Amino acid sequence: MKALNVVVLFIAIIVFSNTVVAVSDIYNEKLDELSEVVHSNPERTLILIEDLSSAQDELTTEQYSRLLVLQSVQNLYSAEFELAIDALQRAESFNPSEKLLNSIYLYQASAYLGLHEYQQALDVMSTNLSRIEELEDTDIKISSYLRLVNLYLDLQAYGEMSRYAELALTLSRGKSAKNECYSLLYLAVAELKTEKLERAEGGFKSSRDFCQLNNLPVIVAMSKKGLGEVAIKRANYAVAEGYLLQALEEYRPFKFQIEIDSIHSLLSETYLGLSQTDKAQEYAGLVMALPDEPVNLSYKKRATKVLAELANERGEYAQAYQYLSQHQAITNILHDDTKAKANAYQMAKFENGEKSREINLLNHERELYTAREEMRELKQNNDRMGLLIVGGGFVLLAMFAVAITGQKRKYKKLAQFDALTGILNRDTAQNIAENRYIKDSFKSLEFSVVMFDLDHFKRINDNFGHGTGDWVLKRVTEAISKNCRSADIFTRFAGEEFVLFLPATDAETAVELAEQHRLVIEAMDTKYSGREFKLSASFGVTSSSDADLSLDPLLHRADIAMQYSKEQGRNCVTLYSREIGLSRSPTYIVSPDESPSEFAERSQAEG
């Protein structure tokens, strides 16, 4: 009888265990469904969240943490950022798995960005990044890197964005077509944001073709939209129209409203460029009907500019003035937001640098302490022979230290200097210049940039060979380096293109220096190359303004001025001016103290 009771009890335990497993599987299935619909079906999302929340007592801690994370995603879509942060903090308190913890940190960063609390967002990102670098799980790393790319895009930190997209691409290549597709797209977006249009176009075409091949239609649509934006920047509006209309049709089945609104704003600008005023008015009107929320501001900025130009063409100057006033107000909001992002990002970089230096200092002190203790022990316990061995050991260590120092210097030089010319490479020079630019900005000092390109350099390579071309690059670099001031930062930017960063230098002085460099190049004697030919270079110069948050706008303006020098016959120096910039991207600007009637009179006069 006792044996029978034991058997009955054992069977009951098995049945109960199977029931628990079955119930657990049901909740996992519901959570899987929720993770699918949370991005596309708000009504079903709310039903599932309510259903799972009512069964909270039956969920495991991991399941409940997962529910809270998915609930936070729904809060993010509803722009309820504080509720999202609260849900994520509760999810974190249940000690979730590494994979789920990774999602918690990344969604927390998104929520803080939504609240414009950029410093906290960067802190969370930094914490998560230091954590995942120690993990062996490649899938977690890829998803983390791609999420970081998104966050850095929102922060307008395009260098970091490109860096993590490259890491994600390297890890996902040949393993995950979807992640590889996203990585290719983000790399192209980074090129577009930094105005490298040729590379952006190639990147978007690569992502479009690869994603088409792997049946990822949403990313194909994103790539086509990117190609449309490149075409707009090149004023090739007919090409832009084709790409944007294709992307619009491909977004609609997915009800991807944010991207649809973005394309509407781009189409308004495209049809303005094509002089199809009715369509430009129609698409701009769709954008202006959107709610006045932060996510829509960049679209409305473009639409108000289009509507202002349309009103101006119709002679409705008061209406044009109103739209331009709206445009300027939105621009100011976005500018302030961008400045806040830039300040938070620079502060985070500074703090991380300080932490690294502090850790290095502590490690160094610990090493010194250990060495002192070892020395004391040797002095107490060893005889004369031991001391002689120690002395010999120190000699060997010194020799080893000298060798290591030499190797470190060698590798540091390889990492920081251009292999052919010996001057700073682009990344190193730009990092040094960015730091100096920030210091000069705080002191209200002007900062200038000079960009120059050797004229007809391809002909030298084609006619005399690449050896002669290399000789030219080395001799030009030597000549310019001798002519530079001690604080100037000289770098080879790309191929035969060079940049001089000039701290604490105004535009007039920068032009004088550029002219000196131009004359130095023009006077070079090429007979020592074994050939005789003329050398010259085209220069572009610009200086900083209060609106500049980094060196990127200065580099862009210097490049425009340099291209203008080439158009003027080469071998000259051009200082960037508003007129030169407007000749490539015309715009209307309302002065802060200008009344509607004054604006109307000026518009008629300029028209």
Side-chain angles (χ1 to χ4, degrees), residues 475-486:
R475 298 293 86 77
V476 167
T477 302
E478 288 173 7
I480 297 299
S481 296
K482 290 176 183 176
N483 204 45
C484 283
R485 303 171 303 175
S486 60

Side-chain angles (χ1 to χ4, degrees), residues 329-511:
I330 293 170
T331 300
N332 290 339
I333 293 170
L334 292 173
H335 177 73
D336 291 343
D337 192 48
T338 300
K339 187 173 286 188
K341 291 175 182 177
N343 289 339
Y345 178 58
Q346 292 297 339
M347 183 59 69
K349 284 176 69 176
F350 176 78
E351 287 177 354
N352 285 336
E354 288 298 306
K355 286 176 184 175
S356 297
R357 281 190 285 275
E358 186 177 341
I359 290 167
N360 290 335
L361 182 60
L362 288 171
N363 287 338
H364 183 61
E365 288 178 351
R366 185 178 61 193
E367 289 168 5
L368 288 174
Y369 176 78
T370 303
R372 283 196 297 268
E373 288 297 302
E374 289 175 357
M375 284 294 298
R376 186 176 63 80
E377 196 173 324
L378 283 169
K379 286 178 181 178
Q380 289 176 349
N381 301 323
N382 290 349
D383 55 15
R384 186 176 179 185
M385 182 59 72
L387 290 173
L388 286 172
I389 292 171
V390 171
F394 272 116
V395 172
L396 289 173
L397 283 172
M399 292 171 65
F400 182 70
V402 169
I404 289 294
T405 301
Q407 285 294 97
K408 285 175 71 177
R409 285 176 180 167
K410 177 183 175 183
Y411 289 126
K412 184 176 181 181
K413 185 172 182 180
L414 287 173
Q416 294 183 339
F417 293 86
D418 179 61
L420 177 65
T421 61
I423 60 174
L424 291 171
N425 63 30
R426 176 174 177 169
D427 288 343
T428 303
Q430 200 159 346
N431 283 337
I432 294 170
E434 284 280 7
N435 290 332
R436 183 57 192 271
Y437 175 74
I438 292 168
K439 292 176 183 176
D440 284 3
S441 296
F442 282 133
K443 296 176 184 176
S444 298
L445 295 174
E446 282 190 64
F447 191 105
S448 294
V449 173
V450 174
M451 183 178 288
F452 69 90
D453 187 272
L454 298 179
D455 297 329
H456 303 302
F457 184 76
K458 187 176 183 299
R459 292 183 190 173
I460 296 172
N461 280 330
D462 292 345
N463 294 336
F464 308 125
H466 288 277
T468 303
D470 289 348
W471 181 91
V472 168
L473 293 172
K474 290 177 184 177
R475 298 293 86 77
V476 167
T477 302
E478 288 173 7
I480 297 299
S481 296
K482 290 176 183 176
N483 204 45
C484 283
R485 303 171 303 175
S486 60
D488 296 347
I489 302 163
F490 183 32
T491 179
R492 183 183 177 194
F493 220 55
E496 69 275 19
E497 188 174 282
F498 297 84
V499 169
L500 284 148
F501 297 104
L502 309 179
T505 303
D506 59 26
E508 185 178 352
T509 305
V511 169

Side-chain angles (χ1 to χ4, degrees), residues 58-329:
E58 299 175 32
L59 300 177
T60 65
T61 55
E62 180 74 6
Q63 288 172 333
Y64 187 55
S65 293
R66 190 178 170 197
L67 171 61
L68 289 168
V69 170
L70 292 169
Q71 187 175 334
S72 76
V73 175
Q74 189 264 334
N75 295 140
L76 288 172
Y77 276 120
S78 305
E80 297 169 320
F81 302 116
E82 291 175 345
L83 289 177
I85 289 169
D86 179 64
L88 291 165
Q89 288 174 341
R90 283 191 289 145
E92 188 179 359
S93 70
F94 288 102
N95 297 317
S97 64
E98 290 287 355
K99 188 172 184 179
L100 193 56
L101 186 61
N102 181 59
S103 297
I104 288 169
Y105 282 134
L106 293 172
Y107 285 129
Q108 276 182 344
S110 296
Y112 283 126
L113 285 174
L115 291 170
H116 293 198
E117 294 178 6
Y118 302 118
Q119 189 61 57
Q120 287 177 279
L122 285 163
D123 288 344
V124 171
M125 289 162 65
S126 178
T127 300
N128 192 47
L129 189 59
S130 61
R131 186 184 66 84
I132 64 170
E133 292 297 349
E134 298 174 0
L135 300 178
E136 297 298 325
D137 193 321
T138 302
D139 291 335
I140 289 179
K141 285 187 175 181
I142 293 171
S143 64
S144 299
Y145 290 152
L146 287 175
R147 189 70 188 136
L148 280 169
V149 167
N150 251 321
L151 297 171
Y152 279 123
L153 172 60
D154 195 30
L155 283 168
Q156 301 174 17
Y158 304 124
E160 293 295 306
M161 176 189 174
S162 182
R163 176 188 168 200
Y164 285 107
E166 284 281 8
L167 286 171
L169 181 61
T170 301
L171 290 174
S172 59
R173 187 167 273 143
K175 298 175 183 175
S176 168
K178 183 178 180 181
N179 289 332
E180 188 173 346
C181 196
Y182 272 119
S183 302
L184 290 169
L185 174 71
Y186 286 135
L187 284 169
V189 171
E191 301 289 6
L192 175 65
K193 294 296 184 180
T194 51
E195 300 289 335
K196 297 169 186 169
L197 300 184
E198 189 171 341
R199 291 169 66 173
E201 182 180 33
F204 284 125
K205 285 181 178 177
S206 296
S207 63
R208 177 198 61 188
D209 297 343
F210 181 83
C211 302
Q212 188 86 57
L213 186 65
N214 288 279
N215 194 29
L216 295 161
V218 173
I219 316 178
V220 172
M222 290 177 175
S223 301
K224 290 179 180 178
K225 176 194 165 188
L227 288 167
E229 290 191 70
V230 171
I232 288 174
K233 287 182 177 292
R234 288 175 167 168
N236 196 343
Y237 298 111
V239 172
E241 179 191 20
Y243 282 129
L244 293 173
L245 289 176
Q246 287 178 42
L248 186 62
E249 286 305 309
E250 290 167 19
Y251 275 136
R252 279 177 174 152
F254 297 95
K255 298 180 181 178
F256 204 157
Q257 196 57 46
I258 291 176
E259 285 295 292
I260 290 171
D261 294 337
S262 173
I263 290 182
H264 286 165
S265 72
L266 291 167
L267 281 171
S268 71
E269 184 176 348
T270 300
Y271 284 120
L272 178 68
L274 292 170
S275 300
Q276 297 184 29
T277 55
D278 288 346
K279 287 187 175 181
Q281 185 85 32
E282 175 190 350
Y283 282 108
L286 289 174
V287 175
M288 295 306 293
L290 296 172
D292 289 328
E293 295 175 356
V295 70
N296 298 324
L297 286 180
S298 60
Y299 312 148
K300 290 197 170 189
K301 177 185 173 183
R302 183 179 286 113
T304 50
K305 184 178 176 183
V306 169
L307 291 169
E309 295 197 26
L310 291 171
N312 188 65
E313 287 177 9
R314 294 192 301 267
E316 298 172 358
Y317 302 117
Q319 185 71 50
Y321 178 84
Q322 289 179 3
Y323 281 128
L324 282 172
S325 296
Q326 281 183 268
H327 176 78
Q328 200 153 320

